[in-house]
Amino acid sequence: SQELCSALEQDHAKLQMEREDVEQRTQKVKKEGELLLKNLERQTLLNRDEERSCQVGERKMVFKGLVTNKEDMNKLMLTPLICYPLPGGSALITFEKAEVAQRIIEMKEHVVELSCGDELEEIDRCQMRVQAAPVDILLPSALEIGLTRSSRSILLSGLPSLGIPEEALLDKLELFFSKTKNGGGEVESREFLDNTGQVVLTFVQDGVAEPLIARGHIPVLIGKGKYELKVSPCMSGDVTNLPLQPSRCPRTVLLSGIPDVLGEEAMRDTLEIHFQKGSRRGGEVDALAYVPAGRWGLAAFTEDTG
């Protein structure tokens, strides 16, 4: 009966530790969610002050697509890009197979042999103990955006590649569209949309943009050439709802407690060699990122299409 009592006490202690571990992870995910929501709220306020393209975080979102039927007209594919902070003395390792990552996480602590040659003589200094844990992130499950059409802005596309600086091209566009004989008016602002080759022009007065948009295409004189530019309405949007749900990365493991005893490249090689060996219950490594002690990093997660 004493042995049974001891076994029950051990089981109770184990369950208590697992419960505390789950509570800690839940708190971590909750804090990350609160931080992300604060960033989104701040961005929403920024968008209300400026009639610009829809932004989430500090990244502009430009939606492109081809509507093939009516059923697809109200659908938007959202591919999240999640940034995950990496403290010093840690590494993220992504395996080719999810079952390998699960095995590494279940072992919790790993003794890694250091490939340091004769640099470290004492046997206990040629090993390091690192802890393995799962990576839990918050993913958006849906996205709701409230769109508004700007009354003073136009979107220009089909711009020529003239081999001149962007500011010079913007100057030429502003010069053309500021003239009333071209159907324009005084320009308040102009800007390139990131990675789209498109320009947003905003006029000072109302009533200038609509007639230009109605024309659809306008021959624009730029330098010595005339180019047919497409004129479209400019839509701006606010994120009205972004529900989040916790998700665990199936193939990625967080390693912590890594001492700063090797150079970055040597440490990366050492970790990859150790965790790809089947004798240590590892497997083929797809990617590995290491941040030495005293520094910090930011890892980006995208959708796993493998």
Side-chain angles (χ1 to χ4, degrees):
S1 61
Q2 187 174 358
E3 293 179 357
L4 179 59
C5 183
S6 177
L8 288 173
E9 289 178 352
Q10 291 179 0
D11 288 344
H12 177 73
K14 182 179 179 181
L15 288 171
Q16 184 69 18
M17 290 177 63
E18 291 177 351
R19 191 179 76 173
E20 291 176 356
D21 184 46
V22 170
E23 289 177 351
Q24 288 177 357
R25 287 185 199 161
T26 302
Q27 289 298 321
K28 179 182 176 183
V29 170
K30 183 178 178 182
K31 288 180 180 178
E32 291 174 351
E34 291 174 351
L35 179 61
L36 181 56
L37 287 173
K38 286 181 180 178
N39 289 336
L40 287 171
E41 289 172 359
R42 184 167 61 250
Q43 188 58 45
T44 299
L45 291 174
L46 176 63
N47 284 344
R48 287 173 181 169
D49 293 338
E50 300 178 6
E51 290 184 349
R52 306 176 69 176
S53 297
C54 175
Q55 301 179 3
V56 176
E58 297 179 356
R59 283 286 187 183
K60 292 183 179 179
M61 292 168 57
V62 180
F63 304 111
K64 297 180 179 180
L66 177 64
V67 176
T68 56
N69 54 59
K70 291 183 178 179
E71 287 74 20
D72 292 335
M73 290 185 66
N74 293 321
K75 293 181 180 178
L76 171 67
M77 296 302 295
L78 176 64
T79 302
L81 177 66
I82 306 298
C83 293
Y84 188 88
L86 270 181
S90 67
L92 281 179
I93 181 168
T94 300
F95 295 96
E96 289 186 358
K97 295 182 178 180
E99 54 264 32
V100 176
Q102 185 60 35
R103 288 201 304 264
I104 297 300
I105 291 170
E106 288 175 353
M107 293 174 66
K108 292 187 179 180
E109 187 173 75
H110 299 264
V111 178
V112 179
E113 299 288 340
L114 295 176
S115 303
C116 51
D118 296 329
E119 293 179 21
L120 303 176
E121 296 179 358
E122 297 179 18
I123 191 96
D124 60 338
R125 293 181 61 197
C126 291
Q127 295 178 340
M128 64 178 182
R129 295 180 180 272
V130 299
Q131 285 71 46
V135 177
D136 295 315
I137 59 177
L138 286 168
L139 289 178
S141 57
L143 173 64
E144 295 180 15
I145 300 176
L147 293 176
T148 56
R149 179 168 171 169
S150 174
S151 62
R152 295 188 292 114
S153 298
I154 60 174
L155 180 69
L156 298 175
S157 54
L159 298 172
S161 299
L162 302 178
I164 62 175
E166 287 187 353
E167 282 298 316
L169 179 56
L170 289 174
D171 287 342
K172 295 180 183 298
L173 291 172
E174 181 176 351
L175 180 63
F176 179 88
F177 282 99
S178 63
K179 296 179 179 179
T180 54
K181 68 177 183 179
N182 296 327
E186 184 180 351
V187 175
E188 181 181 276
S189 64
R190 75 275 171 93
E191 65 171 332
F192 267 96
L193 290 180
D194 292 343
N195 305 317
T196 66
Q198 298 175 328
V199 168
V200 173
L201 283 183
T202 301
F203 298 99
V204 173
Q205 300 294 332
D206 287 330
V208 179
E210 287 302 327
L212 293 173
I213 293 170
R215 291 170 64 179
H217 290 80
I218 298 178
V220 178
L221 187 64
I222 304 177
K224 297 180 180 180
K226 184 173 287 188
Y227 305 91
E228 190 85 2
L229 301 188
K230 182 179 179 181
V231 185
S232 306
C234 185
M235 308 295 293
S236 61
D238 296 328
V239 176
T240 57
N241 189 26
L242 186 63
L244 304 171
Q245 61 181 13
S247 179
R248 176 162 294 180
C249 298
R251 299 190 296 120
T252 303
V253 177
L254 174 64
L255 303 175
S256 58
I258 304 173
D260 191 13
V261 293
L262 294 177
E264 284 189 51
E265 186 175 354
M267 182 61 79
R268 279 195 297 266
D269 291 344
T270 298
L271 292 171
E272 185 167 352
I273 290 171
H274 176 91
F275 285 101
Q276 73 180 0
K277 290 184 178 180
S279 59
R280 292 174 174 134
R281 304 191 69 189
E284 287 298 320
V285 175
D286 193 16
L288 191 149
Y290 163 62
V291 179
R295 296 169 56 183
W296 65 276
L298 205 60
F301 285 89
T302 57
E303 184 179 6
D304 192 347
T305 57

